[in-house]
Every structure is written in C-alpha cells, then in structure tokens.
C-alpha cells in the first residue's frame, strides 16, 4: 500500500464512505463532476484520520500533480461558496451546513497553501481556478464565472454579515485562516509591487462593492475589540478528534497548513500569552494586509522622446505604472465613531456605507494590547490615516491609557524589534503635532511608575515621563542601534512638546540638560577624529573616511542645535512654569561654554546665558546668606521666575515637526505585516519560496520549518525603507 490512498478501483474492498477513501479520491487522478454526490460525502463526513507529516506531504504532492486535470480545488471552492451562502441564510442557528463549510474551507486551505508556496516561477495560475470546458455543470451555474471572485465574495459576505457566536466561531476562524493563505501569494514577490505580480484572491477582495468592504472592515475591527473566546464546549468541528489527539491533516508540519490548526492549538495551550486571542489576531492581520495592499497597473501612454535634441521629436510608447485605489484603506480612513450623529454634515452621498465603530472600546483595547507589534501598527494606521480617530484620541482625558504602554515598551527597547520602536516613536511624533495634546499630558500626574527602575518617579506628570523616556531612547540608540532616523524622531517629538512644557520634573529637567551633554561629547569626538585625519593628509578627500566623519559631524551639529532650540523654546515661552529646567541649566552651565562661539549655536547659547546671568546674579545677591543647598537655590529660582520678563531674549521661530509617510509605504508595511502574521498567526510557509523579505535559509527559522520565527521577525530598516519625517 502507498502512503496516500489511490483512486478506488472496481472491486476494491475499501469502504467508499470513509475519510481515508474520500481524501484519497480527492487528491487522486479521477475527476469527480461538480454535481457528484462525492462532494457531499466528503464535506459531511467527520474527518478523523491520523496522518503523519510525510503522508500529508505526499497527498499534497499528488494533489498538485492531478489538480490541473481534476480541477478539484476549483470544485471544492465552489461547494464552499454554496455552503457559505446557505450558512448566511441560517442566521447563525446551529446547522449541518456549518460542518460542511468548515470541512470545505479546511481542506481547501491545506491544498491551496501547498499550491501557492510551490508555484513554478511564482505562477499562481498553477492553482487552476477554472473548470474544464467539457466539465458538466449543474443548471443555473455559469461555467466561465471567476471562481476567485466568487469565493472571496462569499467568504467576505459571511465574515461581514454573520455575527461571531458559539455556533459560528470556528467557521469564522477558519475563514480568516483561509484569507491569510489565499493572500499569501504576496510572499512570492518582492516588496515593490510590480505589474506581473499575481495575487488572484487579494485582487478579487479589492474588487468587491464598497458596502461589503465596509461591513468586512467593521467586523474585523469588532473581532479585535470584542476578542471573542473559543467555545470550549463546542463539538461542532469534526476535524477535531476526541481528547488531545490531532485530527485529519493536522500534523502537516512544513508540508501544508500548520496555520489552519490555530483553533486546536489554542484549545490545548492557552498559556502562550494572556493577551493573545486567535480570532482577534487573525482578524487584525487580515485587515492590515488588505489595508496596505497596492496593485500595480500598467497603462500605455505616448510620450515625447527628447533625449536627442538634434533628432525630430517623436512619440514613443512608454510603460506607465500606477497603483489602483484600495477600498479597505478608504473604509478604514473614513471610519466614524458610532456615538456621533449619523448625519453626514458634509453631505457625503455614501454615508450609509461608512464604517461605524465604538471608538471608546477601540481606544481601550489598543491601550490593553500596545505591547504587541500588530496593535501598535493598527494604532499608527488609525492616527495617521483617520482624522476622526486622531481627534477622538485628543479629547480623551485618560491619555495614559495609550501612552503608558507605549512608554513602557520604549523603556524596554532592548527587548523589542527596531520596527516596533520606530512605529511607537512615529505615533508619539504624530500626537505631539497637536498643541492640546502637549498641554494636557503635563496636567496628568502619575502617582508612581513602578516599571521605571533607574530613578524613583513619584508624582511625576505624564509629560515629564514622556520627556524622560524619549531622552532615554536617544541614549540607548546612541550606544546600541546608532540609527540617525531614531534620533531625529525623538528630537522632533521633544521639539514639538517644548513650548508647552509645564512644571517639568527635576529628573526630566536634568535628563534634558544631560542630553545636550551626551550629544556634545559625541560631537567633540567626531571633531577630534576629523582633525586627526585632516592633520595627517592635509585635506578631506572625496569618498574618504574623513568625509564620512564630516557628514556625521554635520548631522550631530543639527542634533545639538535642535536640543538648544528645545531649551530655548522652554526658556522663551514657558520659563515661569519650569523652575526645575532653570535650575538644571544653572547646575550644569559649564556644558554650554565650549559652544558659546560656535557659528551654528552662538545665538541660541546667548539666550541661555542671558537666563544664566539673570538667575546667577540673584543667587550672588544672597551670597551673605550662608551655605547654599539644592532646596535653597531652587526656592530662589522659583521666586525669581515670577519676576522674569525675558527682556532682550532673541525670539526664534518655534520648531514644528510633522510626520510624512513615504510615497510607497507598502514597501515597508507589506513585508512587516507578513512577518508579524507568520509569527503570530501560526502560519508556516516554505522559506525558499519567500521573496517578500530576506530569509535565512541556512537556519529556516520561520514557524513550522524548524525554529523560532521571532528571531527573524523584523530586521532593521535600510535608510531608504524608513518612514520619513
């Protein structure tokens, strides 16, 4: 006997109603017509096989060999659509049709995934999603219908219209898993979408009507917000066997679809992460993949060739590519708070299709989950793209719900991926663009910050904590990551906050002055190295090491100037409210002396010394009062802050940094989201087939292929891939 059951022969003793026989027939050479009762038997029978990995692998290989003739994948997908249409009509009531739908989507997922990751030359047409011209079809069925469009319409219709309940939970989970597998064709292509990329199923999802898209976006976000739990008492899923033993095709390893086992895996191991929820995780990853998808389209336009002035101008055909609109991105960007008046004050004719969400619940859920990268990516997507949600964040009085987990994650930056840190810093930069945000964070007082270990933070404002963490992140980056983009983002956020600083704590003020000192030391070391190189060669040669150092010195000159402008903004616009900042500058005033005559800094340093002269003179006037203590000097500063008028101070234009996303954000986000999906959704994928991002084939650490996906999850961004400020 072979490892995979063969197509039944006449006289065979094999029972023709067993799962063993039916799966063997499904992958075999015999083609069963669309109307054959074979499909009903396959989808209705409880599947309780115990196949090892190698046997499932052989079944997948045999299916791939025969599918171009049998077209069994297309046929089972057609039956899946019929089951889903019937399931929608049952309105969530228990029904045998759910069993059929679960079996159909489960079996389809296993074999579709194998076909995608083993497609020759990334030709997804190998999945053969069409019926043979000679194939008999039932009455009323359109032979040349686009099957991927039919399937995606049915899958999305079920997800968007049927509530998640005890009866429907498992089908929802398997359909989301199917969505990820169907869209995994993106893994076969590079990060820059090209006109030859073939993503049949995701393109079909993009082609759905706007009302369905809105329902789907709403349902995926509600799944994430509500985080429905697995119905532990549910016995409706025939793929699950009794006890803890795996069911049919469940031990598929690298051969097929470890990832469709997600419900079962979570049933038997619930202590992975308390915050993890399989349906919520899959829903969010599906939403983000859909949201950041861009299809590259070719349009031929005649353009005039002027490369040779002496030649006559002539029109030559030139390939012009552009990206199609993404309806899911539009739906998410236009989502509105369900609590607001449903009347569209702008007269939007499509008001009925707007996504209505409970922003309060979404805000609270994000605050609970921001330690997770995907949650951070959703928050970034919302605050960057949805102005209504951003405004909602600004009017919340409990900003600590979002900011505390963000700041704690940044505090533990060494345990996080660089991409996670970037996304969180960009979120803070976007928030800091609003003056009301910058003012309100200094009004919220935190009794304690237990996770901050370097210093006891007692009765510290949220704004002071944010300053402390941003400066700590710069320090960490200076010693570990050495990423200039991260420096820029941190300093830009501090600059936006500076004019609105109110009662900055003593520790935050000290750290701010220490930031200048820390960057000045880096600046001085670079200057010394350049002087040493020039001293030996007499000049800076183009392309030399000294030239690279000169470029880096220029960057740190900019950084130092930004810090000086931050201090100036506080002293110019908020000095009476920040005596601790004045004291910190007085305490470390010697760090500014070396830059007093620097052409880039002298005007800014002059303002600082004007403040120093004013307060030093007040201290000197009380020299006869005996020994000075910190409390005594600070009290004198507080008293004299009231009489400070700022006369003679040079006024500089307030720095205001805003975040701008790159013109092709999909080149960063698509690989990033898929890395997260491979990690968090249990999806295994053949590493040698992945072209979307670099994979270390020598260790094959992607989930399901012999290792830990987290180690590969996110490499550091190249400079040209980073989101620009």
């Amino acid at each position: 006997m072979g490892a995979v059951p063969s197509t039944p022969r006449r006289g065979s003793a094999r029972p023709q109603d067993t799962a063993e026989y039916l799966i063997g027939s499904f992958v075999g050479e015999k083609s069963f017509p669309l109307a054959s009762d074979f499909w009903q038997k396959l989808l209705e029978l409880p599947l309780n096989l115990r196949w090892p990995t190698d046997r499932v692998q052989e079944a997948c290989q045999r299916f791939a060999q025969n599918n171009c003739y049998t077209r069994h994948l297309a046929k089972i997908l057609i039956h899946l659509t019929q089951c889903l249409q019937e399931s929608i009509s049952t309105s969530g009531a228990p029904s045998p049709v759910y069993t059929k739908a679960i079996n159909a989507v489960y079996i389809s997922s296993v074999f579709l995934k194998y076909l995608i990751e083993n497609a020759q030359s990334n030709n997804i047409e190998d999945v053969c999603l069409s019926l043979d011209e000679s194939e008999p079809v039932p009455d009323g069925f359109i032979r040349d219908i686009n099957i991927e469009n039919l399937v995606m319409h049915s899958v999305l219709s079920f997800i968007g219209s049927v509530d998640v309940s005890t009866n429907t939970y498992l089908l929802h989970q398997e359909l989301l898993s199917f969505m990820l597998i169907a869209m995994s064709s993106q893994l076969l292509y590079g990060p820059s979408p090209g006109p030859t990329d073939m993503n049949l199923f995701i393109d079909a999802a993009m082609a759905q009507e706007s009302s369905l898209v809105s329902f789907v976006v709403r349902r995926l976000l509600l799944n994430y917000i509500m985080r429905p739990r697995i119905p532990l008492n549910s016995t409706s899923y025939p793929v699950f066997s009794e006890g803890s033993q795996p069911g049919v095709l469940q031990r598929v390893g690298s051969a097929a679809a470890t990832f469709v086992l997600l419900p079962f895996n979570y049933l038997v191991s619930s202590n992975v992460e308390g915050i993890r929820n399989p349906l919520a995780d899959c829903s969010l990853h599906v939403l983000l993949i859909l949201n950041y998808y861009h299809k590259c389209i070719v349009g031929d336009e005649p353009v005039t060739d002027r490369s040779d002035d002496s030649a006559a101008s002539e029109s030559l055909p030139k390939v012009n590519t552009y990206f199609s609109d993404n309806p899911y991105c539009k739906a998410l960007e236009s989502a509105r708070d369900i609590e607001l008046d449903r009347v569209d004050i702008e007269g939007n004719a499509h008001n009925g299709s707007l996504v209505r969400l409970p922003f309060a619940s979404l805000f609270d859920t994000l605050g609970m989950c921001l330690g997770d990268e995907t949650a951070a990516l959703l928050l970034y997507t919302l605050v960057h793209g949805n102005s209504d949600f951003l405004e909602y964040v600004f009017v919340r009085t409990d900003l600590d719900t979002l900011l505390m987990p963000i700041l704690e994650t940044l505090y533990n930056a060494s345990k996080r991926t660089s991409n996670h840190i970037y996304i969180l810093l960009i979120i803070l930069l976007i928030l800091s663009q609003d003056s009301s945000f910058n003012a309100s964070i200094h009004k919220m007082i935190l009794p304690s910050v237990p996770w901050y270990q370097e210093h006891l933070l007692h009765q510290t404002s949220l704004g002071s904590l944010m300053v402390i963490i941003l400066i700590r992140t710069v320090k960490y980056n200076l010693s570990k990551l050495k990423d200039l983009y991260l420096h820029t983002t941190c300093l830009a956020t501090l600059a936006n906050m500076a004019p609105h600083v109110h009662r900055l704590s003593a520790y935050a003020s000290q750290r701010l002055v220490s930031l200048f000192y820390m960057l000045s030391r880096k600046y001085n070391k670079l200057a010394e190295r350049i002087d040493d190189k020039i001293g030996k060669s007499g000049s800076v040669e183009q392309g030399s090491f000294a030239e690279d150092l000169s470029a880096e010195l220029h960057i740190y000159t900019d950084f130092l100037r930004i810090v000086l402008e931050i201090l100036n903004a506080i002293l110019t616009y908020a000095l009476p409210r920040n005596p601790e900042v004045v004291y910190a500058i007085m305490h470390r005033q010697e760090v500014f002396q070396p830059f007093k005559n620097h052409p880039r800094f002298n005007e800014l340093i002059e303002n600082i010394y004007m403040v120093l002269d004013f307060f030093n003179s007040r201290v000197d006037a009380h020299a006869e009062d005996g020994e000075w203590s910190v409390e005594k000097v600070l009290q004198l500063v507080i008293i004299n802050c009231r009489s400070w008028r700022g006369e003679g101070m040079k006024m500089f234009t307030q720095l205001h940094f805003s975040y701008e996303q790159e013109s092709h954000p999909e080149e960063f986000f698509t690989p990033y989201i898929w890395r997260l999906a491979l990690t968090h959704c249990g999806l295994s994928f053949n590493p040698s087939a992945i072209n979307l991002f670099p994979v270390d084939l020598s260790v094959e650490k992607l989930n399901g292929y012999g290792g830990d996906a987290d180690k590969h999850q996110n490499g550091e961004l190249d400079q040209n891939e980073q989101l620009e400020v």
Side-chain angles (χ1 to χ4, degrees), residues 442 464 467 471 498 500-514 563-572 574-589 592 608 611-612 615 634 637-638 641:
H442 289 283
S464 292
V467 169
I471 293 171
H500 311 280
V501 166
H502 184 84
R503 295 191 179 278
L504 197 66
S505 71
Y507 184 63
S509 300
Q510 294 164 17
R511 302 314 299 157
L512 191 55
V513 176
S514 295
V563 175
L564 287 173
E565 296 213 40
I566 291 169
L567 291 170
N568 263 264
I570 296 174
L571 298 178
T572 304
L575 186 148
R577 305 191 302 270
N578 292 283
E580 293 286 4
V581 175
V582 175
Y583 179 84
I585 291 174
M586 291 177 66
H587 183 65
R588 299 291 303 276
Q589 54 189 284
F592 302 102
I608 292 176
V611 172
L612 285 172
F615 285 94
L634 181 59
V637 169
I638 292 172
C641 276

Side-chain angles (χ1 to χ4, degrees), residues 254 685-689 695-709 711-712:
S254 62
F685 204 90
N686 180 6
S688 63
V695 178
D696 187 351
L697 297 179
S698 63
V699 292
E700 293 187 353
K701 289 183 179 178
L702 287 177
N703 187 26
Y705 282 84
D708 180 9
K711 300 294 178 64
H712 264 321

Side-chain angles (χ1 to χ4, degrees), residues 342-372:
R342 294 175 182 271
V343 176
D344 188 350
I345 59 175
E346 296 179 358
N348 187 347
H350 303 286
N351 185 51
S353 64
L354 284 178
V355 177
R356 298 283 180 178
L357 293 168
F359 277 6
S361 299
L362 179 56
F363 181 95
D364 293 338
T365 301
L366 286 167
M368 178 180 68
C369 301
L370 276 176
D372 172 58

Side-chain angles (χ1 to χ4, degrees), residues 478-545:
L478 197 62
S479 62
K480 301 293 183 181
L481 300 180
K482 305 184 188 305
D483 189 291
L484 298 177
Y485 170 76
L486 193 149
H487 274 344
T488 303
T489 308
C490 290
L491 295 178
T493 305
L494 288 169
N496 287 345
M497 295 169 62
H500 311 280
V501 166
H502 184 84
R503 295 191 179 278
L504 197 66
S505 71
Y507 184 63
S509 300
Q510 294 164 17
R511 302 314 299 157
L512 191 55
V513 176
S514 295
L515 173 62
F516 179 83
Y517 177 64
M518 179 174 57
L519 293 173
S520 68
R521 289 182 61 190
K522 176 70 173 178
Y523 174 91
N524 289 331
K525 287 180 180 179
L526 286 169
E528 289 173 4
R529 293 174 69 186
I530 292 173
D531 290 342
D532 183 59
K533 295 292 182 182
I534 294 176
K536 292 178 179 179
S537 63
S539 63
V540 177
E541 297 179 4
Q542 187 174 3
S544 66
F545 181 62

Side-chain angles (χ1 to χ4, degrees), residues 68-85:
C68 288
Y69 165 69
T70 64
R71 305 298 172 104
H72 278 179
L73 178 61
K75 293 172 187 177
I76 197 171
L77 289 175
I78 291 171
H79 280 281
L80 169 61
T81 64
Q82 295 171 348
C83 292
L84 291 176
Q85 291 166 4

